Amino acid sequence: MGTTTKESAIELTRLEEESIDYFVSFVQMFGLPKSIGQIYGLLFVSPEALPMDSIQTRLGISKGSLSQGLSLLKDLGAVTSHSLEGDRREHYRADLQVSRITNHFFENRLEPRLQNGKSRLSLMMDLIDESLDGFDDSAEVRTRVAALQKWHKRGGSIIPMIVKWLKR
Amino acid sequence: MGTTTKESAIELTRLEEESIDYFVSFVQMFGLPKSIGQIYGLLFVSPEALPMDSIQTRLGISKGSLSQGLSLLKDLGAVTSHSLEGDRREHYRADLQVSRITNHFFENRLEPRLQNGKSRLSLMMDLIDESLDGFDDSAEVRTRVAALQKWHKRGGSIIPMIVKWLKR
DNA sequence: GGTTTTGTTCATTTTTGTTTGAACAAACTT
DNA sequence: AAGTTTGTTCAAACAAAAATGAACAAAACC
């Protein structure tokens, strides 16, 4: 049940600590801020939905971080909010679908850059072809870029598969 | 062939610029510093191996960054160094295997954390089981952690597949 | 309508990560 | 062996990202 300490912070249970650590490490793999992991980690092992102020005192993070973090997690679909009878505050609950977080990584971080990269590679090919500056080894470079193009295409095609695999 | 400008920096060809941009964006997907992408991008479209000082003037980055960057790229196996006849300087060439960079991400960033996560999840299970604090909904939490454990295992098993797919 | 509670926004601060360059070391040159 | 070239290391400067908290808005309560 967690023991009370100091005036402002409430001690976390051992389980909560582990969960938080787990998810902090998890979200950091995907370049998300620590606070996201803390919030999700706490909610993940809370059977009841929690209101913001309670999350704040448990984690000891600022209202600002919390608000932003929850809003991102809601956008991802990793957290849902619920209004409880006779309580003005919104209550937040973790959605089990952890893959929402990984999807965010694939879809927002990887996909757009791969897309952008694709057109850039075409351009590179064009540049090689139109530069007839008697380049002896322009062929070598051409081969390289062609190989990259192939690899790039392959990488692009594997991502949807990974995403599908991780969901469900 | 690139036109000369100012005294210290040599203008990059259009192709070099594109390649550099491409790889900067690429390495940033995996949380590597920009300089790594610049170096690799330049080498990728250089038919001949380049010495450090030449890379430095082309990119306009510091000797320190360069040395460190090249050393990381060499560790990854993404760049090889060669000594040329009658030249004291080492010359660096990009290895075509771009996947070395992604492997680094999977093997150094993801794998260890997944490993660490695995034991943390077992611990969480233990903590749930040994806490007999008459918790009505401890079952619910147990279910959640079990689901996570399953998902985690799945994620762990897919990584070697991805790595294999990306190599060659 | 005024007051309180709840939640968001955003300029500032803090933290984290990257780059720089000067000091150093090692290897080659004469 | 003294001087020169080449490359590394690491403390300090700088830049980028995240967290803070005070000011603000919106809704609920009386």
Side-chain angles (χ1 to χ4, degrees), chain B residues 90-134:
Chain B
E90 274 299 285
H91 287 61
Y92 300 89
R93 151 175 290 126
D95 186 301
L96 267 279
Q97 292 293 84
V98 180
S99 60
R100 312 259 193 194
I101 294 169
T102 57
N103 288 348
H104 177 253
F105 172 74
F106 285 112
E107 285 164 14
N108 292 64
R109 187 156 298 249
L110 296 193
E111 283 276 32
R113 296 193 194 230
L114 280 178
Q115 197 45 44
N116 159 40
K118 191 181 162 191
S119 51
R120 183 164 269 135
L121 283 175
S122 308
L123 174 52
M124 282 168 66
M125 270 306 200
D126 293 350
L127 288 170
I128 292 169
D129 289 342
E130 80 192 22
S131 93
L132 321 148
D133 46 0

mmCIF file of all heavy atoms in Angstrom, chain B residues 90-134:
data_model
loop_
_atom_site.group_PDB
_atom_site.id
_atom_site.type_symbol
_atom_site.label_atom_id
_atom_site.label_comp_id
_atom_site.label_asym_id
_atom_site.label_seq_id
_atom_site.Cartn_x
_atom_site.Cartn_y
_atom_site.Cartn_z
ATOM 1 N N GLU B 90 46.685 8.107 -42.822
ATOM 2 C CA GLU B 90 45.735 7.033 -43.032
ATOM 3 C C GLU B 90 44.633 7.538 -43.946
ATOM 4 O O GLU B 90 44.261 8.722 -43.887
ATOM 5 C CB GLU B 90 45.103 6.594 -41.701
ATOM 6 C CG GLU B 90 45.906 5.558 -40.941
ATOM 7 C CD GLU B 90 46.081 4.270 -41.728
ATOM 8 O OE1 GLU B 90 45.131 3.487 -41.837
ATOM 9 O OE2 GLU B 90 47.207 4.070 -42.225
ATOM 10 N N HIS B 91 44.102 6.655 -44.760
ATOM 11 C CA HIS B 91 43.001 7.043 -45.639
ATOM 12 C C HIS B 91 41.771 6.210 -45.302
ATOM 13 O O HIS B 91 41.890 5.013 -45.046
ATOM 14 C CB HIS B 91 43.401 6.855 -47.101
ATOM 15 C CG HIS B 91 44.388 7.896 -47.563
ATOM 16 N ND1 HIS B 91 45.633 8.042 -46.999
ATOM 17 C CD2 HIS B 91 44.293 8.857 -48.523
ATOM 18 C CE1 HIS B 91 46.269 9.037 -47.598
ATOM 19 N NE2 HIS B 91 45.477 9.553 -48.524
ATOM 20 N N TYR B 92 40.624 6.880 -45.311
ATOM 21 C CA TYR B 92 39.403 6.209 -44.870
ATOM 22 C C TYR B 92 38.417 6.044 -46.006
ATOM 23 O O TYR B 92 38.224 6.937 -46.824
ATOM 24 C CB TYR B 92 38.767 7.006 -43.732
ATOM 25 C CG TYR B 92 39.688 7.129 -42.543
ATOM 26 C CD1 TYR B 92 40.590 8.186 -42.436
ATOM 27 C CD2 TYR B 92 39.689 6.152 -41.552
ATOM 28 C CE1 TYR B 92 41.464 8.281 -41.361
ATOM 29 C CE2 TYR B 92 40.561 6.237 -40.476
ATOM 30 C CZ TYR B 92 41.447 7.308 -40.377
ATOM 31 O OH TYR B 92 42.300 7.385 -39.325
ATOM 32 N N ARG B 93 37.803 4.885 -46.003
ATOM 33 C CA ARG B 93 36.847 4.545 -47.064
ATOM 34 C C ARG B 93 35.594 3.977 -46.415
ATOM 35 O O ARG B 93 35.668 3.244 -45.425
ATOM 36 C CB ARG B 93 37.487 3.520 -48.009
ATOM 37 C CG ARG B 93 36.496 2.582 -48.699
ATOM 38 C CD ARG B 93 37.168 1.680 -49.705
ATOM 39 N NE ARG B 93 37.621 2.458 -50.851
ATOM 40 C CZ ARG B 93 38.853 2.472 -51.327
ATOM 41 N NH1 ARG B 93 39.779 1.735 -50.744
ATOM 42 N NH2 ARG B 93 39.175 3.222 -52.373
ATOM 43 N N ALA B 94 34.452 4.341 -46.996
ATOM 44 C CA ALA B 94 33.179 3.823 -46.478
ATOM 45 C C ALA B 94 32.998 2.373 -46.889
ATOM 46 O O ALA B 94 33.254 2.009 -48.036
ATOM 47 C CB ALA B 94 32.023 4.655 -47.011
ATOM 48 N N ASP B 95 32.577 1.559 -45.963
ATOM 49 C CA ASP B 95 32.191 0.200 -46.288
ATOM 50 C C ASP B 95 30.749 0.262 -46.766
ATOM 51 O O ASP B 95 29.940 0.990 -46.212
ATOM 52 C CB ASP B 95 32.302 -0.670 -45.039
ATOM 53 C CG ASP B 95 32.058 -2.131 -45.346
ATOM 54 O OD1 ASP B 95 30.962 -2.471 -45.849
ATOM 55 O OD2 ASP B 95 32.953 -2.936 -45.078
ATOM 56 N N LEU B 96 30.444 -0.515 -47.775
ATOM 57 C CA LEU B 96 29.089 -0.451 -48.331
ATOM 58 C C LEU B 96 28.025 -0.906 -47.363
ATOM 59 O O LEU B 96 26.859 -0.536 -47.470
ATOM 60 C CB LEU B 96 29.016 -1.307 -49.603
ATOM 61 C CG LEU B 96 29.277 -0.569 -50.902
ATOM 62 C CD1 LEU B 96 28.028 0.164 -51.335
ATOM 63 C CD2 LEU B 96 30.415 0.441 -50.735
ATOM 64 N N GLN B 97 28.413 -1.740 -46.424
ATOM 65 C CA GLN B 97 27.453 -2.312 -45.493
ATOM 66 C C GLN B 97 26.867 -1.258 -44.545
ATOM 67 O O GLN B 97 27.281 -1.133 -43.404
ATOM 68 C CB GLN B 97 28.112 -3.403 -44.673
ATOM 69 C CG GLN B 97 28.495 -4.626 -45.460
ATOM 70 C CD GLN B 97 27.287 -5.389 -45.980
ATOM 71 O OE1 GLN B 97 26.731 -5.067 -47.030
ATOM 72 N NE2 GLN B 97 26.862 -6.367 -45.220
ATOM 73 N N VAL B 98 25.883 -0.539 -45.044
ATOM 74 C CA VAL B 98 25.225 0.465 -44.226
ATOM 75 C C VAL B 98 24.595 -0.174 -42.991
ATOM 76 O O VAL B 98 24.479 0.432 -41.942
ATOM 77 C CB VAL B 98 24.132 1.184 -45.033
ATOM 78 C CG1 VAL B 98 23.440 2.222 -44.199
ATOM 79 C CG2 VAL B 98 24.737 1.817 -46.271
ATOM 80 N N SER B 99 24.248 -1.439 -43.151
ATOM 81 C CA SER B 99 23.550 -2.123 -42.062
ATOM 82 C C SER B 99 24.391 -2.192 -40.793
ATOM 83 O O SER B 99 23.864 -2.414 -39.704
ATOM 84 C CB SER B 99 23.156 -3.530 -42.488
ATOM 85 O OG SER B 99 24.311 -4.269 -42.817
ATOM 86 N N ARG B 100 25.691 -1.960 -40.930
ATOM 87 C CA ARG B 100 26.533 -1.935 -39.718
ATOM 88 C C ARG B 100 25.998 -0.910 -38.730
ATOM 89 O O ARG B 100 26.046 -1.104 -37.527
ATOM 90 C CB ARG B 100 27.963 -1.534 -40.068
ATOM 91 C CG ARG B 100 28.532 -2.275 -41.244
ATOM 92 C CD ARG B 100 29.436 -3.363 -40.772
ATOM 93 N NE ARG B 100 30.225 -3.877 -41.887
ATOM 94 C CZ ARG B 100 30.914 -5.001 -41.832
ATOM 95 N NH1 ARG B 100 30.910 -5.706 -40.726
ATOM 96 N NH2 ARG B 100 31.595 -5.419 -42.866
ATOM 97 N N ILE B 101 25.537 0.200 -39.297
ATOM 98 C CA ILE B 101 25.041 1.270 -38.438
ATOM 99 C C ILE B 101 23.753 0.855 -37.745
ATOM 100 O O ILE B 101 23.582 1.060 -36.543
ATOM 101 C CB ILE B 101 24.838 2.555 -39.262
ATOM 102 C CG1 ILE B 101 26.199 3.058 -39.761
ATOM 103 C CG2 ILE B 101 24.145 3.622 -38.433
ATOM 104 C CD1 ILE B 101 26.113 4.167 -40.793
ATOM 105 N N THR B 102 22.849 0.238 -38.491
ATOM 106 C CA THR B 102 21.598 -0.187 -37.862
ATOM 107 C C THR B 102 21.856 -1.309 -36.855
ATOM 108 O O THR B 102 21.234 -1.343 -35.798
ATOM 109 C CB THR B 102 20.590 -0.667 -38.920
ATOM 110 O OG1 THR B 102 21.180 -1.717 -39.685
ATOM 111 C CG2 THR B 102 20.223 0.462 -39.859
ATOM 112 N N ASN B 103 22.781 -2.176 -37.191
ATOM 113 C CA ASN B 103 23.088 -3.243 -36.246
ATOM 114 C C ASN B 103 23.572 -2.680 -34.917
ATOM 115 O O ASN B 103 23.224 -3.187 -33.861
ATOM 116 C CB ASN B 103 24.160 -4.171 -36.813
ATOM 117 C CG ASN B 103 23.607 -5.026 -37.921
ATOM 118 O OD1 ASN B 103 22.397 -5.089 -38.126
ATOM 119 N ND2 ASN B 103 24.492 -5.674 -38.652
ATOM 120 N N HIS B 104 24.376 -1.658 -35.027
ATOM 121 C CA HIS B 104 24.850 -1.031 -33.807
ATOM 122 C C HIS B 104 23.681 -0.608 -32.941
ATOM 123 O O HIS B 104 23.672 -0.799 -31.721
ATOM 124 C CB HIS B 104 25.721 0.179 -34.141
ATOM 125 C CG HIS B 104 26.204 0.926 -32.950
ATOM 126 N ND1 HIS B 104 25.706 2.152 -32.580
ATOM 127 C CD2 HIS B 104 27.145 0.615 -32.032
ATOM 128 C CE1 HIS B 104 26.329 2.556 -31.499
ATOM 129 N NE2 HIS B 104 27.206 1.655 -31.138
ATOM 130 N N PHE B 105 22.684 -0.041 -33.596
ATOM 131 C CA PHE B 105 21.496 0.378 -32.877
ATOM 132 C C PHE B 105 20.812 -0.812 -32.205
ATOM 133 O O PHE B 105 20.563 -0.805 -31.000
ATOM 134 C CB PHE B 105 20.530 1.069 -33.834
ATOM 135 C CG PHE B 105 19.189 1.385 -33.243
ATOM 136 C CD1 PHE B 105 19.039 2.427 -32.342
ATOM 137 C CD2 PHE B 105 18.074 0.640 -33.591
ATOM 138 C CE1 PHE B 105 17.803 2.721 -31.801
ATOM 139 C CE2 PHE B 105 16.830 0.931 -33.047
ATOM 140 C CZ PHE B 105 16.701 1.976 -32.153
ATOM 141 N N PHE B 106 20.565 -1.839 -32.984
ATOM 142 C CA PHE B 106 19.861 -2.989 -32.422
ATOM 143 C C PHE B 106 20.673 -3.675 -31.340
ATOM 144 O O PHE B 106 20.160 -4.003 -30.277
ATOM 145 C CB PHE B 106 19.528 -3.999 -33.525
ATOM 146 C CG PHE B 106 18.399 -3.553 -34.396
ATOM 147 C CD1 PHE B 106 18.608 -3.214 -35.714
ATOM 148 C CD2 PHE B 106 17.114 -3.440 -33.872
ATOM 149 C CE1 PHE B 106 17.549 -2.781 -36.523
ATOM 150 C CE2 PHE B 106 16.066 -3.012 -34.657
ATOM 151 C CZ PHE B 106 16.276 -2.674 -35.988
ATOM 152 N N GLU B 107 21.951 -3.852 -31.610
ATOM 153 C CA GLU B 107 22.748 -4.644 -30.682
ATOM 154 C C GLU B 107 23.197 -3.874 -29.448
ATOM 155 O O GLU B 107 23.310 -4.455 -28.384
ATOM 156 C CB GLU B 107 23.947 -5.259 -31.415
ATOM 157 C CG GLU B 107 23.501 -6.436 -32.278
ATOM 158 C CD GLU B 107 24.535 -6.850 -33.312
ATOM 159 O OE1 GLU B 107 25.683 -6.420 -33.220
ATOM 160 O OE2 GLU B 107 24.156 -7.613 -34.235
ATOM 161 N N ASN B 108 23.452 -2.582 -29.601
ATOM 162 C CA ASN B 108 23.926 -1.835 -28.446
ATOM 163 C C ASN B 108 22.828 -1.086 -27.709
ATOM 164 O O ASN B 108 22.898 -0.895 -26.512
ATOM 165 C CB ASN B 108 25.003 -0.838 -28.857
ATOM 166 C CG ASN B 108 26.264 -1.531 -29.297
ATOM 167 O OD1 ASN B 108 26.266 -2.244 -30.289
ATOM 168 N ND2 ASN B 108 27.320 -1.356 -28.547
ATOM 169 N N ARG B 109 21.832 -0.637 -28.457
ATOM 170 C CA ARG B 109 20.799 0.159 -27.802
ATOM 171 C C ARG B 109 19.617 -0.698 -27.360
ATOM 172 O O ARG B 109 19.127 -0.567 -26.251
ATOM 173 C CB ARG B 109 20.344 1.282 -28.741
ATOM 174 C CG ARG B 109 19.387 2.274 -28.119
ATOM 175 C CD ARG B 109 19.459 3.585 -28.837
ATOM 176 N NE ARG B 109 20.788 4.167 -28.739
ATOM 177 C CZ ARG B 109 21.066 5.264 -28.031
ATOM 178 N NH1 ARG B 109 20.104 5.879 -27.369
ATOM 179 N NH2 ARG B 109 22.278 5.745 -27.977
ATOM 180 N N LEU B 110 19.159 -1.566 -28.248
ATOM 181 C CA LEU B 110 17.962 -2.346 -27.918
ATOM 182 C C LEU B 110 18.260 -3.600 -27.095
ATOM 183 O O LEU B 110 17.733 -3.771 -26.003
ATOM 184 C CB LEU B 110 17.220 -2.729 -29.186
ATOM 185 C CG LEU B 110 16.636 -1.587 -30.027
ATOM 186 C CD1 LEU B 110 15.674 -2.128 -31.060
ATOM 187 C CD2 LEU B 110 15.914 -0.571 -29.155
ATOM 188 N N GLU B 111 19.117 -4.440 -27.633
ATOM 189 C CA GLU B 111 19.378 -5.729 -26.990
ATOM 190 C C GLU B 111 19.652 -5.647 -25.487
ATOM 191 O O GLU B 111 18.982 -6.329 -24.708
ATOM 192 C CB GLU B 111 20.537 -6.435 -27.700
ATOM 193 C CG GLU B 111 20.170 -7.079 -29.028
ATOM 194 C CD GLU B 111 19.573 -8.465 -28.846
ATOM 195 O OE1 GLU B 111 18.904 -8.689 -27.837
ATOM 196 O OE2 GLU B 111 19.777 -9.309 -29.747
ATOM 197 N N PRO B 112 20.623 -4.835 -25.067
ATOM 198 C CA PRO B 112 20.954 -4.845 -23.642
ATOM 199 C C PRO B 112 19.770 -4.446 -22.772
ATOM 200 O O PRO B 112 19.544 -5.023 -21.717
ATOM 201 C CB PRO B 112 22.055 -3.787 -23.528
ATOM 202 C CG PRO B 112 22.518 -3.516 -24.909
ATOM 203 C CD PRO B 112 21.408 -3.852 -25.827
ATOM 204 N N ARG B 113 19.009 -3.475 -23.245
ATOM 205 C CA ARG B 113 17.874 -3.039 -22.441
ATOM 206 C C ARG B 113 16.792 -4.089 -22.392
ATOM 207 O O ARG B 113 16.120 -4.264 -21.377
ATOM 208 C CB ARG B 113 17.309 -1.742 -23.018
ATOM 209 C CG ARG B 113 18.301 -0.608 -22.929
ATOM 210 C CD ARG B 113 17.641 0.710 -23.210
ATOM 211 N NE ARG B 113 18.648 1.742 -23.456
ATOM 212 C CZ ARG B 113 18.650 2.919 -22.840
ATOM 213 N NH1 ARG B 113 17.730 3.213 -21.964
ATOM 214 N NH2 ARG B 113 19.589 3.804 -23.107
ATOM 215 N N LEU B 114 16.610 -4.787 -23.497
ATOM 216 C CA LEU B 114 15.621 -5.859 -23.491
ATOM 217 C C LEU B 114 16.040 -6.922 -22.490
ATOM 218 O O LEU B 114 15.232 -7.471 -21.752
ATOM 219 C CB LEU B 114 15.498 -6.473 -24.880
ATOM 220 C CG LEU B 114 14.646 -5.696 -25.887
ATOM 221 C CD1 LEU B 114 14.646 -6.396 -27.233
ATOM 222 C CD2 LEU B 114 13.226 -5.538 -25.375
ATOM 223 N N GLN B 115 17.341 -7.202 -22.485
ATOM 224 C CA GLN B 115 17.870 -8.199 -21.581
ATOM 225 C C GLN B 115 17.590 -7.813 -20.136
ATOM 226 O O GLN B 115 17.013 -8.561 -19.370
ATOM 227 C CB GLN B 115 19.380 -8.342 -21.821
ATOM 228 C CG GLN B 115 19.959 -9.594 -21.256
ATOM 229 C CD GLN B 115 19.099 -10.809 -21.571
ATOM 230 O OE1 GLN B 115 18.635 -10.980 -22.682
ATOM 231 N NE2 GLN B 115 18.846 -11.635 -20.567
ATOM 232 N N ASN B 116 17.993 -6.603 -19.822
ATOM 233 C CA ASN B 116 17.782 -6.057 -18.485
ATOM 234 C C ASN B 116 16.300 -6.040 -18.150
ATOM 235 O O ASN B 116 15.893 -6.341 -17.026
ATOM 236 C CB ASN B 116 18.390 -4.649 -18.450
ATOM 237 C CG ASN B 116 17.824 -3.780 -17.355
ATOM 238 O OD1 ASN B 116 17.603 -4.251 -16.244
ATOM 239 N ND2 ASN B 116 17.585 -2.517 -17.673
ATOM 240 N N GLY B 117 15.475 -5.712 -19.138
ATOM 241 C CA GLY B 117 14.035 -5.661 -18.914
ATOM 242 C C GLY B 117 13.477 -7.018 -18.534
ATOM 243 O O GLY B 117 12.590 -7.128 -17.686
ATOM 244 N N LYS B 118 14.014 -8.035 -19.131
ATOM 245 C CA LYS B 118 13.504 -9.380 -18.895
ATOM 246 C C LYS B 118 13.566 -9.751 -17.412
ATOM 247 O O LYS B 118 12.585 -10.194 -16.817
ATOM 248 C CB LYS B 118 14.327 -10.375 -19.713
ATOM 249 C CG LYS B 118 13.724 -11.767 -19.761
ATOM 250 C CD LYS B 118 14.607 -12.704 -20.573
ATOM 251 C CE LYS B 118 14.266 -14.153 -20.274
ATOM 252 N NZ LYS B 118 15.255 -15.086 -20.824
ATOM 253 N N SER B 119 14.730 -9.532 -16.822
ATOM 254 C CA SER B 119 14.873 -9.906 -15.413
ATOM 255 C C SER B 119 14.026 -9.003 -14.528
ATOM 256 O O SER B 119 13.494 -9.411 -13.503
ATOM 257 C CB SER B 119 16.340 -9.830 -15.001
ATOM 258 O OG SER B 119 16.884 -8.592 -15.356
ATOM 259 N N ARG B 120 13.876 -7.757 -14.972
ATOM 260 C CA ARG B 120 13.067 -6.834 -14.185
ATOM 261 C C ARG B 120 11.606 -7.289 -14.162
ATOM 262 O O ARG B 120 10.918 -7.162 -13.148
ATOM 263 C CB ARG B 120 13.194 -5.433 -14.771
ATOM 264 C CG ARG B 120 12.448 -4.394 -13.996
ATOM 265 C CD ARG B 120 12.893 -3.007 -14.342
ATOM 266 N NE ARG B 120 13.969 -2.546 -13.494
ATOM 267 C CZ ARG B 120 15.056 -1.934 -13.913
ATOM 268 N NH1 ARG B 120 15.241 -1.745 -15.195
ATOM 269 N NH2 ARG B 120 15.958 -1.509 -13.049
ATOM 270 N N LEU B 121 11.150 -7.840 -15.274
ATOM 271 C CA LEU B 121 9.770 -8.315 -15.327
ATOM 272 C C LEU B 121 9.554 -9.512 -14.404
ATOM 273 O O LEU B 121 8.526 -9.605 -13.722
ATOM 274 C CB LEU B 121 9.395 -8.680 -16.765
ATOM 275 C CG LEU B 121 9.098 -7.507 -17.692
ATOM 276 C CD1 LEU B 121 8.853 -7.992 -19.110
ATOM 277 C CD2 LEU B 121 7.893 -6.723 -17.181
ATOM 278 N N SER B 122 10.538 -10.407 -14.365
ATOM 279 C CA SER B 122 10.410 -11.545 -13.448
ATOM 280 C C SER B 122 10.292 -11.039 -12.018
ATOM 281 O O SER B 122 9.439 -11.480 -11.249
ATOM 282 C CB SER B 122 11.651 -12.435 -13.539
ATOM 283 O OG SER B 122 11.926 -12.776 -14.861
ATOM 284 N N LEU B 123 11.153 -10.088 -11.707
ATOM 285 C CA LEU B 123 11.125 -9.521 -10.368
ATOM 286 C C LEU B 123 9.755 -8.934 -10.058
ATOM 287 O O LEU B 123 9.203 -9.134 -8.966
ATOM 288 C CB LEU B 123 12.202 -8.438 -10.256
ATOM 289 C CG LEU B 123 12.234 -7.632 -8.965
ATOM 290 C CD1 LEU B 123 12.279 -8.560 -7.760
ATOM 291 C CD2 LEU B 123 13.430 -6.687 -8.950
ATOM 292 N N MET B 124 9.186 -8.257 -11.031
ATOM 293 C CA MET B 124 7.873 -7.668 -10.813
ATOM 294 C C MET B 124 6.834 -8.740 -10.503
ATOM 295 O O MET B 124 6.016 -8.585 -9.586
ATOM 296 C CB MET B 124 7.452 -6.850 -12.049
ATOM 297 C CG MET B 124 8.132 -5.500 -12.118
ATOM 298 S SD MET B 124 7.933 -4.674 -13.718
ATOM 299 C CE MET B 124 6.178 -4.372 -13.733
ATOM 300 N N MET B 125 6.909 -9.821 -11.235
ATOM 301 C CA MET B 125 6.004 -10.936 -10.968
ATOM 302 C C MET B 125 6.157 -11.437 -9.537
ATOM 303 O O MET B 125 5.175 -11.654 -8.827
ATOM 304 C CB MET B 125 6.311 -12.087 -11.935
ATOM 305 C CG MET B 125 5.531 -12.007 -13.218
ATOM 306 S SD MET B 125 3.750 -11.877 -12.912
ATOM 307 C CE MET B 125 3.111 -12.402 -14.482
ATOM 308 N N ASP B 126 7.391 -11.617 -9.124
ATOM 309 C CA ASP B 126 7.660 -12.070 -7.761
ATOM 310 C C ASP B 126 7.057 -11.116 -6.755
ATOM 311 O O ASP B 126 6.409 -11.527 -5.781
ATOM 312 C CB ASP B 126 9.169 -12.171 -7.522
ATOM 313 C CG ASP B 126 9.800 -13.279 -8.359
ATOM 314 O OD1 ASP B 126 9.041 -14.066 -8.960
ATOM 315 O OD2 ASP B 126 11.035 -13.350 -8.407
ATOM 316 N N LEU B 127 7.271 -9.833 -6.978
ATOM 317 C CA LEU B 127 6.769 -8.831 -6.048
ATOM 318 C C LEU B 127 5.244 -8.904 -5.940
ATOM 319 O O LEU B 127 4.683 -8.779 -4.846
ATOM 320 C CB LEU B 127 7.183 -7.433 -6.504
ATOM 321 C CG LEU B 127 8.661 -7.098 -6.328
ATOM 322 C CD1 LEU B 127 9.004 -5.803 -7.040
ATOM 323 C CD2 LEU B 127 8.995 -7.003 -4.837
ATOM 324 N N ILE B 128 4.587 -9.101 -7.054
ATOM 325 C CA ILE B 128 3.131 -9.206 -7.030
ATOM 326 C C ILE B 128 2.716 -10.416 -6.219
ATOM 327 O O ILE B 128 1.831 -10.346 -5.366
ATOM 328 C CB ILE B 128 2.570 -9.327 -8.460
ATOM 329 C CG1 ILE B 128 2.790 -8.018 -9.218
ATOM 330 C CG2 ILE B 128 1.090 -9.656 -8.421
ATOM 331 C CD1 ILE B 128 2.510 -8.127 -10.694
ATOM 332 N N ASP B 129 3.388 -11.535 -6.466
ATOM 333 C CA ASP B 129 3.008 -12.769 -5.790
ATOM 334 C C ASP B 129 3.229 -12.718 -4.292
ATOM 335 O O ASP B 129 2.393 -13.161 -3.515
ATOM 336 C CB ASP B 129 3.793 -13.945 -6.394
ATOM 337 C CG ASP B 129 3.311 -14.268 -7.797
ATOM 338 O OD1 ASP B 129 2.194 -13.828 -8.142
ATOM 339 O OD2 ASP B 129 4.038 -14.925 -8.551
ATOM 340 N N GLU B 130 4.352 -12.163 -3.893
ATOM 341 C CA GLU B 130 4.651 -12.177 -2.453
ATOM 342 C C GLU B 130 3.920 -11.095 -1.664
ATOM 343 O O GLU B 130 3.928 -11.115 -0.447
ATOM 344 C CB GLU B 130 6.160 -12.087 -2.220
ATOM 345 C CG GLU B 130 6.756 -10.694 -2.329
ATOM 346 C CD GLU B 130 8.271 -10.749 -2.384
ATOM 347 O OE1 GLU B 130 8.828 -11.807 -2.755
ATOM 348 O OE2 GLU B 130 8.889 -9.729 -2.057
ATOM 349 N N SER B 131 3.304 -10.145 -2.376
ATOM 350 C CA SER B 131 2.544 -9.129 -1.642
ATOM 351 C C SER B 131 1.125 -9.622 -1.435
ATOM 352 O O SER B 131 0.289 -9.576 -2.316
ATOM 353 C CB SER B 131 2.550 -7.809 -2.427
ATOM 354 O OG SER B 131 1.423 -7.705 -3.249
ATOM 355 N N LEU B 132 0.877 -10.146 -0.240
ATOM 356 C CA LEU B 132 -0.442 -10.708 0.077
ATOM 357 C C LEU B 132 -1.279 -9.687 0.820
ATOM 358 O O LEU B 132 -2.111 -10.020 1.651
ATOM 359 C CB LEU B 132 -0.284 -11.957 0.941
ATOM 360 C CG LEU B 132 0.881 -12.883 0.577
ATOM 361 C CD1 LEU B 132 1.421 -13.556 1.828
ATOM 362 C CD2 LEU B 132 0.414 -13.900 -0.439
ATOM 363 N N ASP B 133 -1.049 -8.426 0.512
ATOM 364 C CA ASP B 133 -1.735 -7.379 1.277
ATOM 365 C C ASP B 133 -3.230 -7.297 0.930
ATOM 366 O O ASP B 133 -3.788 -6.237 0.710
ATOM 367 C CB ASP B 133 -1.065 -6.015 1.059
ATOM 368 C CG ASP B 133 -0.762 -5.749 -0.408
ATOM 369 O OD1 ASP B 133 -1.075 -6.620 -1.238
ATOM 370 O OD2 ASP B 133 -0.233 -4.667 -0.706
ATOM 371 N N GLY B 134 -3.846 -8.459 0.890
ATOM 372 C CA GLY B 134 -5.283 -8.505 0.669
ATOM 373 C C GLY B 134 -5.743 -7.638 -0.480
ATOM 374 O O GLY B 134 -6.814 -7.028 -0.441
#
